[in-house]
């Protein structure tokens, strides 16, 4: 009998997350737990709760999308 094989999310990482990446992930989890599931409310949440976006600029929808895509490539 062949077992289904799956990859644990952490097995796919090439490196440990940085402190900033961990803070971003924690904040995103809190936003989801608060019922924020659309991009605009999540961006608003990040701008209020942090962490700040790269270079300290305010989060925008475009910036969050590009940053998450960048992190997905380097994870």
């Amino acid at each position: 009998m062949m077992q289904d094989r799956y990859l644990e999310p952490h097995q796919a990482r090439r490196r440990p997350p940085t402190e900033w990446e961990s803070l971003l992930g924690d904040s995103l989890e809190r936003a989801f737990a608060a019922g924020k599931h659309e991009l605009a409310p999540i961006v608003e949440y990040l701008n209020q709760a942090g962490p700040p976006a790269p270079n300290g600029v305010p989060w925008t929808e475009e910036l969050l999308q590009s940053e998450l895509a960048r992190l997905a490539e380097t994870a």
Side-chain angles (χ1 to χ4, degrees):
M1 179 172 170
M2 186 173 201
Q3 288 184 317
D4 288 339
R5 293 181 184 210
Y6 63 93
L7 188 63
E8 291 289 333
H10 298 292
Q11 289 176 312
R13 289 185 178 162
R14 296 182 196 140
R15 60 173 176 74
T18 65
E19 182 178 343
W20 181 85
E21 291 167 351
S22 291
L23 290 172
L24 178 60
D26 292 346
S27 193
L28 288 171
E29 287 179 3
R30 287 191 302 275
F32 295 143
K36 300 177 187 320
H37 301 284
E38 300 295 327
L39 194 55
I42 292 170
V43 166
E44 184 179 325
Y45 183 90
L46 289 174
N47 281 323
Q48 292 174 358
N55 299 324
V57 299
W59 286 105
T60 64
E61 292 181 24
E62 295 79 17
L63 180 57
L64 180 57
Q65 288 175 316
S66 67
E67 190 61 20
L68 292 176
R70 183 190 71 77
L71 291 171
E73 291 175 2
T74 63

